[in-house]
Amino acid sequence: MLGRRGLGAAQCAWRGSWADPVRAVSTKALSRRSTIRDARLLDSGSRVAVGGWVKSVRKHKSVSFVNVNDGSCLGELQITLPAEETQEAAVQSLGAKLSDITVGSSVYAEGELREVPGGKHKRLELHPSTLEVLGECDIQKYPLQKKYHSLEFLRENLHLRARTNTFGAVTRVRNALSQGLHSYFQKNDFLHLHSPILTSNDCEGAGEMFRIAKMDGKDEEFFGTPTYLTVSGQLHGEMYACALSKVYTFGPTFRAENSNTTRHLAEFWMVEPEMAFAGLEECVASAQGAVQSSVAHALDTCSEDIAFFNKNYDKQIAERLERVVEKDFARLTYTEAIGVLQKAVAESKGKVSFEKKPEWGMDLQTEHERFLAEKYVGGPVFVTDYPADIKAFYMRKNAPDEQDRETVAGMDLLVPKIGELVGGSVREERFEVLEKKMRHLGLLPEGDLDEDSIAASGGDLDWYLDLRRFGSVPHAGWGLGFERLVLFATGMDNIRDVIPLPRFPGQCKH
Amino acid sequence: MLGRRGLGAAQCAWRGSWADPVRAVSTKALSRRSTIRDARLLDSGSRVAVGGWVKSVRKHKSVSFVNVNDGSCLGELQITLPAEETQEAAVQSLGAKLSDITVGSSVYAEGELREVPGGKHKRLELHPSTLEVLGECDIQKYPLQKKYHSLEFLRENLHLRARTNTFGAVTRVRNALSQGLHSYFQKNDFLHLHSPILTSNDCEGAGEMFRIAKMDGKDEEFFGTPTYLTVSGQLHGEMYACALSKVYTFGPTFRAENSNTTRHLAEFWMVEPEMAFAGLEECVASAQGAVQSSVAHALDTCSEDIAFFNKNYDKQIAERLERVVEKDFARLTYTEAIGVLQKAVAESKGKVSFEKKPEWGMDLQTEHERFLAEKYVGGPVFVTDYPADIKAFYMRKNAPDEQDRETVAGMDLLVPKIGELVGGSVREERFEVLEKKMRHLGLLPEGDLDEDSIAASGGDLDWYLDLRRFGSVPHAGWGLGFERLVLFATGMDNIRDVIPLPRFPGQCKH
C-alpha cells in the first residue's frame, strides 16, 4: 500500500541499497501518482493511482460512488465502491472507513479504470484495490460542505475557495493566460525583465502610492530615501529597452486608492512590454498578438473550464474568445471614435444616450468604451491618437491635425464587457521636448540640472532623461491589467474573484 | 527611407485605404526590422534592416567599420561604410553624418549582407543603402564611452549598465533561466500562483519584514491591520496546493535585514513550488528537474553568453553547467554529511579544516556546504533529514533515529560556488502536531481558538491550521533563491550584478 506510509517506505528501501553514503536522486517518485486529468484519458483496464479531495458521496445499499477531484482539471473521477453484502467491511478491506469518506476529505486510491456501463459518452470509473482516507473532514464544521455557495461567502473563506469548481477553474485559466503571454513574448524576442517593486521614483501621483514605513523605533529610512511600492514598471522597462531593444515586465503593481469597487484592487498584476526601434504600429500589433496568444493558450488547455464559465457565468464567453483569436482587431482614431459616438446618439432617435456627452477633448468613459467595443465593432478595437491634454507626459506628440488640435501617438485596446484592457503609446524620445514637459510638470528640480539640485529633488528622474541624452531611440510600449484579461476570459464580474488573495481597503487577511 | 519618419508614413498610407473608419490591425509592422541575432543567421546576399547601438567605430582612410548591437545577442553586426573618395559625402548620401556615428549613438540601417572577405570563419557584414543616426551620443559626456569599466563603476550607473556586454549577457541568461523554470513547472502540471506581496501574516520574524506606512496624515492602516511585504509565498502555496495539488510561485520577496554583503538583497526573487500528495522524494526529484530544466534552457538559448562568462568571469562555468544537466544529483543525509566532514578533517592530516567544527546538531555553514559540493561530491548534492531543532516549525518530523535524535524530512540542495541553492521539506500535515508546535512558538493566540482571541492575536494563522482541519494531505515544497541560480549559471560573484535594479540598505535609486 502506498499513501503516506508508502512514501516513507520507498525512501528507506532506496537508502539501504547503497554502500557509499552518496546516492543519486530517485526520479521515479514523481511518476507514481497520476493526475486525474491524465487518468481520465487512459484506456479502460489501465491500473492507476490517484489522490484528491472528495466532492460528493452517493451511498446506496449495494454500491457507493465517491467523486474525487485533484485540481488538475475541472472534471472528477468517480470511484466506485464494491457491491458486497456488508459494504462497510468491504471498504475496510481496502484500507478505509466508509464513514470517513465525506465531502472535503482527502483520499488516495489505486485500482483499475473501467468504463461506466450504460452511459451515452465513454466515461471511466475507478474500481479501487486500495483506498485510504488521508485527511478526514468534519462536515459539521467544514465551511464548504454544501455544494453551492455565493461568491460573497467564498470571499470570506479565501483560504478554502480554491477547492470549489469556480475558483479551481479561475486558477487554471489564469495560469494559462499567463503562460500564453510569456510564450508570445519569448517567441518574439522579448526578454523578461524582473523590474523592482521598491522604488524611489514617485512620478505618477504621490497620493496613490504605498510607502515603506521607517525603521522601527528610529526616524530612519532603510534605503536612505522615501521608498514606495511601484505603480508601473514602464520606466524600468524603458531603461532596459533602450539597451536591449525588447523587454517585458510581468509582476504586481500597487495603488493606495480608497476604492471599494468590483474593478479596483490595491495589488494587481500588470504586463508591460517595451520595444525600441518601434512606433505605434508595433505597439498595436504586439498588443493584438499577445492578447491573442494568451487567449488561444487558455482555449487550448482549459476548454473544460471555459465551457464551465460559459454555462454558469456568461453565455457568450466561449464565442467571444473564439472571435478574439480568429480575427484581426479593429482600429479607429480617437477623432473617428468621437465621431462614431456623436453620430450614434444623433441617429438613434433617443435609443443611444450617454451620461457624459461625447466631445472632442474628453477622456473616453467606460460607457463610451463599451459602446465602441460591444455595439459598434462587436469585438476588440484599438483607439489611437488621443488628445495630448488627457494623456501622460511621456507620450509622443503627433503633428497637429488639420484643425490644429494636438494628439499623442497613444493607443487603448477596448474590449467588450471590460472597456479598456490595454493602454500604450510611443514614448517621447526627443530630449529637449521631454525635458521641457517634465520641468513644466515639476518632475525635475528647478533650475539647471546640477548635481546638488538633482539630489535635493527627491524622486530623481534625471536617469530617465539620460536615456534620451545618449543614443536615444524611438520606442513604444503598453501595459495590460492582467486581472482585466482574466475577467474578460472567464466572464467573472468582480476583480476580487480572479486573483488568489485580493487586497483592497480594509482587507489584507492571510 | 524607413526609420522614424518611415513608421509614421506607413501608418498614414494604411489609414488612407479605408473608407469606413474601422480598420484592422496591420500585423506587418513587426516584421520590418530584423534582430541582429537573426540577421547574423541569414545568407550572404540577403537584404535586411536593423537597428542598434554603436559599440565601436574604426575609421580608416578608404573604409570605416561600425559595430552595432541591439541586445538580441552578445554578438555585433559590422556595418561597412563605402570606400569612396570623400567618405563624408558617401555617408551623407546614405542619410547620416559621419561625425555623428560615435560609440553609444543609435542607428538604423538597411542594406545587403555580404561575407567578410578573407576571414577564417564565415562572417557577414552589412553594406548599407540607408544609414540613419537616430540618437546622437556626446562621447565627452557619455559615462560608458570607454570599452571596459569596473563592475563597481557600472553599479553607480545602473540605468546604463544593460548597454554593456556583461549586463546584456546577464539579462539574457536570467531570462532563459526564468523561462526554463516555467517550462519545467508547466510541463509537470504545476499551476503558476500569483501569491501576494502584501500580507498581514508575520510568522517568520517581525524584525526582518518591511512594513507599509500608515496613511499620510492619519494614524490609520490602509488595510485595517499592520501590513508587511512578504518574506515567502510558501504559506499561500500550501493554501493552493491543498486544493489544486501542484502550484508554484515565482516573484519578489523581501528582507529588511541590514546586510551589506555580496550575498544579500532587500528585494530578491524566489520560486516556490508546493505539491500535495507528495513527500521528500517528490521534493528532491522536482528540485533536480527544475534546476536541470532551467540550466538546460540557458545552455540551449544563450551559448554565446555562457562562453563569454566562461572566458571573462569563471573558467569552469561551461563545464559545471554541462555536468548539472547530464547527471543525476548526489544525495546524503545530514547525519552522513556530518560524518563525511568529520572524517575529512580527521584523515586530511591538517589539510582540511573548518572555522566551525562539524558536529551533529549544528546548522551547516557555507564552508561546510561548499566543501560537500565542491570537494566531496564535485557537483550538486542534496542533504536531507536535518536536526529538528535547527529547522522551521512547519517541517514534518521523522521518527527518531537509532540514537533517538529527532530529524525533519527536509532537504537542502548545495551547489559548488554558492552553497545552498534550494531549501525544502515535507510540511507537517497532522493538525494536533502542528497546532502544538505553533502554540509553543507563540504563533497562535493563547487559550482556546475562539474568534475573539484570534482577532486579538494580530497575525492570524488559524487559516493555516484549517488546511489540516479539513481534508489534510501529505504535502511538500521547496524554495529556490533565483539570484543564486543566476550567480551559479553566470559565474558572477556579486548578487547586486545579477538583478536589474538591486535594492540594499541605503540604495533604492530609480
Side-chain angles (χ1 to χ4, degrees), chain A residues 439-453:
Chain A
R439 198 175 295 284
H440 180 71
L441 291 167
L443 295 172
L444 291 173
E446 291 299 317
D448 286 341
L449 284 174
D450 61 88
E451 286 202 16
D452 284 348
S453 58

Side-chain angles (χ1 to χ4, degrees), chain A residues 4 7 11 15 21-26 29-30 33 35 37 51-53 70-71 104 106-107 134-136 141-142 159 162-163 168 171 174-175 179 182 184 186 189 191-194 196-201 210-213 222-223 227 229 236 239-245 248 252 254 256-257 266-267 269 276-277 279-282 284-285 288 328-332 336 376 382 385 429 463 466 469-474 482 500-501 503-510, chain B residues 4 7 11 15 21-26 29-30 33 35 37 51-53 70-71 104 106 134-136 141-142 159 162-163 168 171 174-175 179 182 184 186 189 191-194 196-201 210-213 222-223 227 229 236 239-245 248 252 254 256-257 266-267 269 276-277 279-282 284-285 288 329-332 336 376 382 385 429 460 463 466 469-474 482 500-501 503-510:
Chain A
R4 261 177 307 183
L7 294 173
Q11 187 189 329
R15 210 171 268 180
V22 177
R23 289 169 306 284
V25 170
S26 160
L30 271 174
R33 185 177 63 88
T35 63
R37 192 193 57 220
W53 289 268
D70 68 355
S106 57
V107 297
L134 300 174
E136 296 159 24
K141 292 181 184 161
Y142 189 45
H159 64 299
R163 299 183 181 195
T171 309
R174 189 177 164 108
N175 171 71
Q179 291 312 305
H182 278 302
Y184 175 82
Q186 294 291 323
D189 303 311
L191 297 168
H192 187 182
L193 179 72
H194 293 132
I197 300 298
L198 299 173
T199 180
S200 58
N201 287 154
F210 287 108
R211 184 169 165 174
I212 297 298
F222 185 89
F223 295 104
T227 306
L229 302 188
H236 300 122
M239 182 192 289
Y240 269 71
C242 290
L244 302 169
S245 297
Y248 68 108
F254 303 84
E257 270 178 290
E267 175 175 358
W269 283 62
F277 309 102
L280 194 62
E281 292 309 306
E282 283 79 4
V284 156
Q288 173 179 315
D328 275 339
F329 298 175
R331 229 179 123 158
L332 285 169
E336 289 164 344
Y376 185 66
F382 284 103
D385 304 288
E429 90 283 10
W463 68 263
D466 263 7
R469 255 188 208 105
F470 306 119
S472 185
V473 287
F482 185 61
L501 280 306
R503 303 320 195 192
F504 49 87
Q507 174 59 281
C508 185
K509 220 186 149 193
H510 312 101
Chain B
R4 263 177 306 184
L7 295 171
Q11 190 189 325
R15 212 172 266 180
V22 178
R23 288 169 306 282
V25 170
S26 160
L30 270 174
R33 185 177 63 91
T35 62
R37 193 193 57 219
W53 289 267
D70 67 356
S106 57
L134 300 174
E136 296 160 26
K141 292 182 185 160
Y142 189 43
H159 64 299
R163 300 184 181 194
T171 308
R174 189 177 164 110
N175 172 70
Q179 291 313 304
H182 279 301
Y184 175 82
Q186 294 292 322
D189 304 312
L191 298 169
H192 188 182
L193 179 73
H194 294 131
I197 301 298
L198 298 173
T199 180
S200 58
N201 287 154
F210 287 108
R211 185 169 164 174
I212 298 297
F222 186 89
F223 295 104
T227 305
L229 302 189
H236 300 123
M239 181 191 290
Y240 270 72
C242 290
L244 301 169
S245 296
Y248 69 108
F254 302 85
E257 270 178 290
E267 174 175 358
W269 283 62
F277 309 101
L280 194 61
E281 293 309 307
E282 283 79 4
V284 155
Q288 173 179 314
F329 297 174
R331 229 179 122 157
L332 283 168
E336 289 164 343
Y376 184 66
F382 284 104
D385 304 289
E429 90 283 12
D460 171 7
W463 68 264
D466 263 7
R469 254 188 209 106
F470 306 119
S472 185
V473 286
F482 185 62
L501 280 306
R503 304 318 194 192
F504 49 87
Q507 173 59 281
C508 185
K509 220 185 148 193
H510 311 103

Side-chain angles (χ1 to χ4, degrees), chain A residues 445-498:
Chain A
E446 291 299 317
D448 286 341
L449 284 174
D450 61 88
E451 286 202 16
D452 284 348
S453 58
I454 290 168
S457 77
D460 171 6
L461 276 170
D462 194 48
W463 68 263
Y464 188 67
L465 282 172
D466 263 7
L467 306 180
R468 282 75 177 171
R469 255 188 208 105
F470 306 119
S472 185
V473 287
H475 63 287
W478 47 268
L480 175 150
F482 185 61
E483 280 72 25
R484 293 194 173 184
L485 182 61
V486 187
L487 286 172
F488 177 71
T490 58
M492 300 293 287
D493 281 323
N494 192 328
I495 200 164
R496 297 175 186 178
D497 293 335
V498 295

